[in-house]
Structure formats: C-alpha cells, structure tokens
Amino acid sequence: GILTPQNYDLPDHLWVVYESFPSLIYYIKGFLWIIFNKPEIVQVVSPISLLLFVLFSKQELRVPWYWAVIGILSIPIVQIGASANMTDVPSNIGLGIISILFLKTVVEPNKITIKSMNWLMVGCVLAGGTKLQSMAVGSFLLFLYILILNFVIHKKINFITRKTLILYSIVCLGLVSYPAIKNFLNYHNPIYPMSLKFGPIFLQGQFNMSNGEFNEPQQFRWLKSVLEINAFNYRPLPYTIDQGDVPVNSKSFRVGGYYFPLMIVSIYMVIYNSIDKKKVVSLYILFLTIIISSIPNSNELRYFSFWAIFMVATSLWSFEVLREKGHQNLEIEKLFKLFVIVCFFHVVFITGGEYLKSDGLTYEKMANIYSGERYVIQIEDNTLFCYENSDFRRAIFDSVIFNKKNNP
C-alpha cells in the first residue's frame, strides 16, 4: 500500500533483482510496519537479529550476554549495521550461527542437542531469507555440515536420533536454499541474476561475477582489507556502513571495517585455547578464510562479516570450554576480555558514538539530502517525475503517501 507499479517503475535490471533475490526479510519488515503502523519500525530487524545472536551465544556457547554484546559490537561493520536498515547484519548473524555450530559439532559433539538443531534452523532462515550471497555461502557450509553430522559424528551425539538428524538436515537445507530452488525453477539458474562459468558448467544470468579490473588476487585484496591497509585515507569517519564514502579511485574505497587488532588477537585466542583440538580448529579457520577470501568482491567486508563474528564469538567461547575442562587460565582470560572492552570503546570513540545514538534524521533533513535534480512532466492531471540513476532514492519523498495533505 506504499507504492504501486503506477506510482514507481523500476529499471529492468532492478526488476530482475527484485524478482530473484531472497524476500523473507522484507515480508518481516512489512509485517512489523502493518502491526505498529510506523515505517521506522523496520529498523529494529537488525538489532533483533543481534539479540538473537546474544541469546544463541548464551545458550549454545555459554558466553554471558554482556560479553557477547561487547564482543560483537566491537566489530565496526556490525555496530554500524545494527543501526541501519540494510540486510547485512541479519544475513551474517545467520551465517555466523551456522559456521559456529559447525565447529561446535566437531569440537563438542556431546553438547549438540535438539536446541542446537533449532538454532541451526534460525541460522538457515536468516541466511536464506536475506541476501543472495548469504544464501549461496550458507547452503555450501550447511551441505558440508550435514555430511559430517550424518556420516561422521552422528554416533557421538547422544541426544538426537539418526531419524531426527536427517529430518532437521532436510528442513534446514530447504530453509537456507529456498531462493536457489525458486530461481532454478524460474530461470534454470540457482544464483540468478548472477551468471557463472565453471569448467563445462555455464549458468546464464544478467550480471557477471567478477572482481573487476585488478592485477592482484582476490585473496590478497581481502587480506589487505581485513588488515585495514590504506583503509582510512580521505575518510571523514574511520568506519561507515559500506566504507564507500571516499573517491572511487582511492585506495580506501570499500576497504576495512573489522578493526584488525581484534581479529588478530581473536584468531590467536581461539587456536591457543583449543588444546587437544588445535589442528581441527586451525584447519577449520583456514578453510573458512580461504572460502570467504576467494569470493568476488569479498574485500567489501560487510558482505561476509560473519567471518569476523565467528572469530570474536568463538574466542569468547574457547574460555568457557577451557573452564569446563579444568584448564582455565584466569590471567589470559582477564587480559583478553580487557582487550575486547578497549576495542569496543576505541571503535565508539573514533566514530564519535555516531552509531549508538538513538536519534536519527528528520523527514525534512532526509528529503533535503536526496533533493537531487529531477525532470517533472505534467500529463493532464498526472505528474511524472524522472530521476537520474544516482538520485533514485529521492523518489520515495515524491510518492503519494508522503504528499497527502493530512500526512504529518
């Protein structure tokens, strides 16, 4: 009831995206809008997904809620995403849950319960219903996870029968991959509108998957972005939603966002605290890193920030595992948690607390921000507005719903 095809016409390439991308997240936002009758209510989806992850950390990783909150909000891209209305945080929370449960099943199979499987379903819903990228990565991770779960580790899981495991596996695969199934039926390409050529396999789409014209391997570009090399050149704020607020030809364009000291120390803590599982944990971290760093445009860190979420969450979890095994090292644990607190406050201070403020832009200010040039054509009693490609966001302010006489 906000816009109709008569009010607003998308360009053809955006209609393709609209029809083929996962849509569950938008139905959730629309449902909230209907219930509360406030458009700004859709912004709570990202904070709610963060709260879900905090609850997951408490129940499955035994990490106290306050450490989960401080830890995850120490990652700039996550802190910023939680204050925005984009799908990055929910999608990466879903991938984070899947990837962490994968490791937990290998390290602590005796602690996998029905509740763990329910959390896996939550992760699949978030990953599959939000973004095409998270659907693809989530489906791949889940497929490998299910193979290990059902054929390697199932005998070590005491709380779940084999039939229950198989049932959960089928349901979870359906939840995470339903956009791919829909696209395959409609377009014969599970990742439509992206095209892909892999050996003899060619999937026809509207957009090509590529890294652009760069002379260095994608993995190296990702590593430089994680290490935040040149990430702060010409940037008004050190961290922004997509790190794209600098000239396109700048070395800092869409680079950085994880706060690299936190990443380095977290990886070290996870491996250091693994004790008898060092090889397994190290190989899994290496596996995740190779997969993520090899994806086109992975240097734009917000797309796959679950890698950072995984590192911080599992580093905090590793201390709980040590405590239960009787190998607790209180000095190192206190030092690490103090370090996490310092990271959190440093990120808040250098961004001026911009992303923790409760007040946002007013309608008038937003309308002025997007007050770009537009062509106005009068056809009898109808007014037609035409926008430049870079100014299309202005359209919402010209729509009927925002221009009724009785609309405050």
Side-chain angles (χ1 to χ4, degrees):
I2 304 163
L3 295 171
T4 67
Q6 287 72 40
N7 294 139
Y8 184 54
D9 191 22
L10 282 168
D12 290 342
H13 70 282
L14 286 182
W15 273 119
V16 170
V17 172
Y18 178 79
E19 293 291 345
S20 55
F21 269 47
S23 55
L24 176 63
I25 190 78
Y26 303 108
Y27 283 104
I28 292 172
K29 290 180 178 184
F31 178 74
L32 288 171
W33 190 331
I34 289 170
I35 296 298
F36 292 94
N37 198 31
K38 289 179 178 290
E40 61 268 30
I41 197 68
V42 302
Q43 296 228 152
V44 306
V45 172
S46 290
I48 287 173
S49 65
L50 278 186
L51 291 176
L52 275 175
F53 188 79
V54 170
L55 184 60
F56 164 77
S57 299
K58 189 175 185 301
Q59 291 187 353
E60 290 299 309
L61 308 182
R62 290 93 69 195
V63 174
W65 69 267
Y66 43 89
W67 285 117
V69 170
I70 294 171
I72 198 168
L73 291 182
S74 297
I75 306 166
I77 286 290
V78 177
Q79 185 182 125
I80 296 167
S83 71
N85 189 27
M86 300 175 80
T87 59
D88 298 290
V89 168
S91 68
N92 281 288
I93 290 298
L95 288 175
I97 290 173
I98 295 171
S99 57
I100 290 170
L101 281 175
F102 196 145
L103 182 63
K104 182 183 176 180
T105 303
V106 176
V107 174
E108 295 183 314
N110 60 317
K111 291 189 179 294
I112 295 297
T113 64
I114 290 291
K115 188 182 288 184
S116 306
M117 293 293 100
N118 290 335
W119 275 115
L120 184 63
M121 288 175 62
V122 171
C124 290
V125 168
L126 289 173
T130 49
K131 296 185 76 170
L132 202 61
Q133 296 100 319
S134 59
M135 180 274 295
V137 174
S139 298
F140 176 71
L141 283 177
L142 186 70
F143 179 72
L144 294 180
Y145 181 19
I146 285 173
L147 288 179
I148 292 174
L149 194 64
N150 285 281
F151 298 104
V152 180
I153 300 178
H154 69 278
K155 292 180 181 178
K156 297 180 182 179
I157 301 176
N158 306 318
F159 306 97
I160 306 173
T161 64
R162 186 72 185 278
K163 287 183 179 178
T164 306
L165 271 182
I166 293 172
L167 178 62
Y168 269 102
S169 299
I170 294 170
V171 171
C172 286
L173 270 175
L175 289 172
V176 76
S177 62
Y178 87 89
I181 297 170
K182 185 186 75 170
N183 286 340
F184 181 78
L185 293 174
N186 292 336
Y187 307 106
H188 309 293
N189 177 357
I191 60 170
Y192 195 85
M194 307 306 298
S195 60
L196 178 67
K197 184 171 176 57
F198 186 75
I201 300 172
F202 177 68
L203 300 175
Q204 182 69 46
Q206 298 289 328
F207 306 100
N208 292 320
M209 292 182 67
S210 70
N211 293 322
E213 296 178 5
F214 293 96
N215 297 322
E216 56 192 16
Q218 176 59 34
Q219 295 85 350
F220 186 59
R221 292 181 64 214
W222 176 87
L223 181 61
K224 286 202 304 184
S225 188
V226 171
L227 296 177
E228 299 186 311
I229 297 172
N230 297 316
F232 307 112
N233 299 354
Y234 308 108
R235 200 177 292 289
L237 271 176
Y239 296 110
T240 56
I241 187 69
D242 61 357
Q243 298 292 85
D245 57 332
V246 292
V248 177
N249 58 354
S250 170
K251 290 183 178 180
S252 59
F253 184 68
R254 298 191 183 276
V255 170
Y258 285 171
Y259 194 73
F260 86 91
L262 180 63
M263 296 299 104
I264 300 298
V265 176
S266 295
I267 292 171
Y268 176 77
M269 279 294 107
V270 177
I271 296 173
Y272 178 81
N273 289 340
S274 299
I275 308 175
D276 56 331
K277 300 283 186 178
K278 272 189 171 58
K279 285 185 178 179
V280 174
V281 173
S282 300
L283 285 172
Y284 186 62
I285 289 175
L286 181 63
F287 164 74
L288 269 187
T289 302
I290 291 173
I291 294 298
I292 297 308
S293 64
S294 302
I295 298 174
N297 301 315
S298 59
N299 53 289
E300 298 186 37
L301 299 183
R302 70 182 175 92
Y303 293 141
F304 303 106
S305 58
F306 84 94
W307 183 89
I309 293 170
F310 172 88
M311 296 307 166
V312 175
T314 51
S315 63
L316 291 168
W317 169 48
S318 66
F319 289 104
E320 304 305 318
V321 175
L322 282 181
R323 202 185 324 278
E324 292 185 3
K325 289 184 176 180
H327 297 290
Q328 186 180 14
N329 189 325
L330 276 176
E331 286 188 6
I332 291 179
E333 184 175 350
K334 287 178 180 177
L335 279 173
F336 176 71
K337 288 181 175 178
L338 176 62
F339 173 74
V340 173
I341 292 173
V342 170
C343 291
F344 170 76
F345 279 107
H346 190 212
V347 170
V348 172
F349 291 157
I350 63 176
T351 56
E354 187 68 29
Y355 306 108
L356 297 180
K357 294 176 181 176
S358 60
D359 56 326
L361 291 171
T362 63
Y363 169 83
E364 289 79 13
K365 286 183 178 178
M366 285 189 71
N368 288 331
I369 288 173
Y370 297 113
S371 60
E373 293 293 325
R374 64 188 189 275
Y375 303 99
V376 183
I377 304 171
Q378 194 71 33
I379 306 174
E380 295 180 356
D381 294 332
N382 296 318
T383 304
L384 183 66
F385 296 99
C386 303
Y387 309 90
E388 294 285 354
N389 192 45
S390 58
D391 293 326
F392 67 91
R393 291 179 182 178
R394 169 72 203 179
I396 190 71
F397 299 104
D398 289 324
S399 64
V400 174
I401 194 171
F402 285 124
N403 286 280
K404 290 178 180 176
K405 290 181 180 178
N406 62 346
N407 191 325

